[in-house]
Amino acid sequence: MHKFEKIWMSVGTGSLIIFLVILGVSAVHAGHTPAASGIETINPEYVREDTRFAEPGLHESEDEEFDYNLYFVASAFSYEPSEVEIPQGSRVKVQVATTDVVHGFQVVNTNINMMVEPGLVSTYNTNFDTVGEYLIVCNEYCGVGHTDMTSTIKVVDGGAEDNE
Ligand code: CUA
């Protein structure tokens, strides 16, 4: 074999090994798991035992960044709560978990559109600035009751302090 050919072959093999080592180390380094970072997991069988999802609905937030936490439990074929009122102008952290299969969580006429997968908590941070009724629909086919799976968010006038 020609000398240069040998050199180039070892360069090729060497870079492949380096590549695999980097990939292998970064895959498990710093507690990384195959799931993307920043994703919260939850056992679908114990969703209702989680303090947040035991009493789904609107709760005042302890987080400076938000006014409220809004929790929804999705299950075939409904959302809990089936209706919720939110004061206009609220900064809300929306979190949804499913107890069974994959559901969708789309709030019509907003940017909120999440897939709700068993084992994961889906999160969306948003402001509800416009008064109105917003329909929540399931946009992932989940069974015979799929089309009936809805809920409603009512953004209501927040009261005197926020009015101009
Ligand atoms: Cu739930 Cu479709």
Side-chain angles (χ1 to χ4, degrees):
M1 206 188 284
H2 196 277
K3 188 179 159 199
F4 288 135
E5 212 175 333
K6 267 190 187 166
I7 292 172
W8 279 114
M9 277 186 66
S10 34
V11 167
T13 314
S15 49
L16 181 65
I17 290 167
I18 291 168
F19 171 74
L20 289 174
V21 167
I22 291 171
L23 196 71
V25 169
S26 61
V28 293
H29 184 251
H32 279 186
T33 59
S37 55
I39 284 183
E40 190 195 340
T41 56
I42 189 168
N43 185 332
E45 283 175 35
Y46 298 112
V47 163
R48 285 174 201 282
E49 277 158 49
D50 186 292
T51 49
R52 299 166 297 177
F53 300 109
E55 277 182 71
L58 196 67
H59 297 269
E60 286 206 10
S61 182
E62 282 164 23
D63 193 333
E64 283 259 302
E65 263 183 84
F66 303 102
D67 299 307
Y68 297 100
N69 290 100
L70 178 57
Y71 305 119
F72 271 97
V73 175
S75 57
F77 301 98
S78 64
Y79 297 102
E80 256 179 86
S82 58
E83 186 184 305
V84 67
E85 279 192 9
I86 303 173
Q88 180 189 14
S90 301
R91 300 162 302 161
V92 182
K93 182 177 195 168
V94 185
Q95 293 192 296
V96 191
T98 168
T99 60
D100 42 46
V101 297
V102 175
H103 296 285
F105 188 90
Q106 179 176 10
V107 186
V108 178
N109 294 329
T110 72
N111 289 331
I112 307 170
N113 187 359
M114 301 191 277
M115 198 171 173
V116 185
E117 294 170 81
L120 298 178
V121 176
S122 302
T123 302
Y124 196 96
N125 301 334
T126 189
N127 293 0
F128 289 95
D129 289 329
T130 312
V131 168
E133 254 190 64
Y134 299 86
L135 183 68
I136 302 169
V137 295
C138 181
N139 56 11
E140 296 286 339
Y141 183 74
C142 53
V144 288
H146 165 69
T147 51
D148 300 323
M149 191 166 166
T150 62
S151 177
T152 309
I153 289 176
K154 287 182 175 170
V155 180
V156 296
D157 200 318
E161 57 181 20
D162 294 326
N163 288 350
E164 286 160 80

